[in-house]
Amino acid sequence: SERPMVAAVRDAAVSEDGVVSAPVSGGRWGTSAETVVLPSCGSSGLMFKPVRTMWCTSHNAPVVVIAQPMCYGPAHFLAECLPRLLMALSAARREGALVHVTQANPMVSAAMDAVGLRPDRLVSGCVRAPRMLVPDGTFCGNPPASALLPMRRWAWSLSGACKDPARQDLLQAASRLLPEQDGVSASAAPDASWSADAEGACPAGLLSLGAAAAALGPAGAVSAWGSGRDAVQQAATCVLAHPQAVGLVAPAPGPIRVLFVRRSGSRRVENEGELLEALSQLEDVGQVTAFSPAGLQRDLEAFAAADVVLAPHGAGLANIVGCPPWAHVVELLARPVNIMYGSMCARLGLKWHALTPAVASHSGVIKAEVGLVVDRVREASKAIRDLAKRFASFSSSQRAVCAA
């Protein structure tokens, strides 16, 4: 929950997984083990894998280190490594720095373009440089709000982040209203003063991970990777997510836009056609869009334009970082369960609905329980429409105060 930090290290070397080593003050490389080590946030905790400088490529330019294990794929790169680059972006531009990544693939190159850095500045593997900038690490499957919130602000600032001018204005208003840094606090158990609303959920602005965990079944069914294990162990936790913004930024009254995230491999929704047909019949829903990845900027545009996101568990959900603050996310979980996106929703202030269909294999297919999914989307649509109506009822003076 603290402000992100960027460490500057002289005469440093970095391993392919992002572990940074340097001699102690006044020391030299190769003089026993007198080195300082900045660990990398690995998939199972901090990694202290030593750097063997004899295999390193030397560069004269400064290097920004964002490499971490798993950051060669879209979900981990977008949620965990790209936010680290944003922490050091101004310094990277000012110093003409190279960027050390897990893998310099086309997706990572496109991200460099999007942030205004040349893809030819990417380096990977073991690297040594006279100066390294090392932003705070982000744990696998559990990036902190201090990384996600600036990432969201950047996503909303992209040119054409939303092709609807009115919605773009709302996203810009949200950028002014929502805190720059982590405004999330948590308690091990709901406080007595947090009285539940009429539907028995946490009050506005609160997400009950406990209720979600209870719906997932016994703890033995939850995998130890991502944030699933921790969420189940803290089953009574409610996460406070920016109450000062709740009700202050809302969509204009109108039909709800639903974005369905497709998968073609594992966790493909085998009854997708039936599900999309049922959703199109919902009274409050004006548009149902079937989404497939089309590149970083276009993907974030699609999520910025959505009110409700419906998706099987998978990498595409990392794009919820671009969702508007009133959005609801309905996730079809597979077994073994991983609720990393529930954790991200909590930190972004989005409402997360977790469903675990009877047929749902992590490496196989998912068969959506259409009636239940439709009910959740209907519930989410009603909540968004009610929020829009409350906001529309504000006087002009109240809105002026909100926007100030």
Side-chain angles (χ1 to χ4, degrees), residues 34-254:
E34 294 182 354
T35 58
V36 275
V37 177
L38 295 178
S40 174
C41 294
S43 56
S44 58
L46 296 176
M47 294 182 60
F48 291 88
K49 181 172 147 185
V51 180
R52 301 187 64 181
T53 57
M54 69 180 70
W55 305 115
C56 289
T57 301
S58 294
H59 294 278
N60 292 324
V63 174
V64 175
V65 177
I66 65 170
Q68 293 183 185
M70 307 289 290
C71 273
Y72 48 80
H76 294 279
F77 181 80
L78 183 59
E80 297 156 24
C81 290
L82 186 54
R84 297 184 70 197
L85 177 57
L86 296 179
M87 294 178 200
L89 186 58
S90 59
R93 289 170 172 165
R94 183 175 62 250
E95 299 188 24
L98 302 170
V99 179
H100 182 262
V101 296
T102 312
Q103 187 181 100
N105 57 35
M107 172 203 66
V108 175
S109 296
M112 292 286 285
D113 271 332
V115 300
L117 296 176
R118 299 200 316 270
D120 63 9
R121 305 303 288 171
L122 291 172
V123 293
S124 59
C126 183
V127 167
R128 188 173 174 181
R131 174 174 161 85
M132 288 190 179
L133 302 174
V134 189
D136 276 351
T138 54
F139 281 103
C140 176
N142 200 15
S146 56
L148 291 174
L149 298 181
M151 177 71 184
R152 174 169 66 181
R153 190 179 300 273
W154 171 78
W156 288 346
S157 72
L158 286 175
S159 175
C162 187
K163 292 181 173 61
D164 179 342
R167 178 169 291 234
Q168 186 63 37
D169 287 344
L170 286 171
L171 295 182
Q172 294 307 313
S175 289
R176 294 192 299 270
L177 285 166
L178 295 173
E180 174 70 29
Q181 300 300 333
D182 183 3
V184 177
S185 61
S187 171
D191 187 279
S193 64
W194 295 2
S195 58
D197 61 20
E199 297 178 357
C202 289
L206 296 173
L207 171 70
S208 171
L209 288 180
L216 302 180
V222 178
S223 72
W225 44 287
S227 56
R229 178 182 56 186
D230 292 339
V232 171
Q233 289 173 345
Q234 301 172 24
T237 300
C238 284
V239 180
L240 182 62
H242 316 310
Q244 68 272 37
V246 173
L248 300 186
V249 181

Side-chain angles (χ1 to χ4, degrees), residues 287-300:
Q287 179 181 343
V288 179
T289 302
F291 163 84
S292 296
L296 176 63
Q297 183 163 335
R298 292 183 65 182
D299 293 354
L300 290 172

Side-chain angles (χ1 to χ4, degrees), residues 199-387:
E199 297 178 357
C202 289
L206 296 173
L207 171 70
S208 171
L209 288 180
L216 302 180
V222 178
S223 72
W225 44 287
S227 56
R229 178 182 56 186
D230 292 339
V232 171
Q233 289 173 345
Q234 301 172 24
T237 300
C238 284
V239 180
L240 182 62
H242 316 310
Q244 68 272 37
V246 173
L248 300 186
V249 181
I256 300 299
R257 303 172 184 180
V258 176
L259 185 74
F260 173 73
V261 181
R262 281 186 162 135
R263 284 185 66 87
S264 58
S266 61
R267 281 158 279 138
R268 173 181 59 85
V269 177
E270 67 173 4
N271 56 338
E272 174 186 306
E274 177 189 358
L275 179 60
L276 292 176
E277 175 62 25
L279 291 172
S280 69
Q281 302 302 315
L282 279 175
E283 182 179 352
D284 288 342
V285 172
Q287 179 181 343
V288 179
T289 302
F291 163 84
S292 296
L296 176 63
Q297 183 163 335
R298 292 183 65 182
D299 293 354
L300 290 172
E301 289 173 1
F303 278 71
D307 299 309
V308 178
V309 174
L310 168 62
H313 177 82
L317 275 172
N319 291 289
I320 60 175
V321 73
C323 280
W326 59 80
H328 286 231
V329 177
V330 181
E331 182 178 1
L332 306 179
L333 294 166
R335 296 175 181 82
V337 166
N338 180 339
I339 61 172
M340 64 174 285
Y341 298 114
S343 174
M344 285 181 62
C345 284
R347 290 175 168 88
L348 291 166
L350 308 176
K351 185 63 180 290
W352 180 60
H353 305 257
L355 298 177
T356 51
V359 178
S361 167
H362 188 81
S363 58
V365 299
I366 291 178
K367 184 173 183 178
E369 296 170 353
V370 174
L372 185 56
V373 174
V374 167
D375 286 345
R376 289 300 178 92
V377 173
R378 182 186 291 112
E379 173 190 329
S381 300
K382 181 180 183 302
I384 295 169
R385 287 176 64 86
D386 288 347
L387 179 62

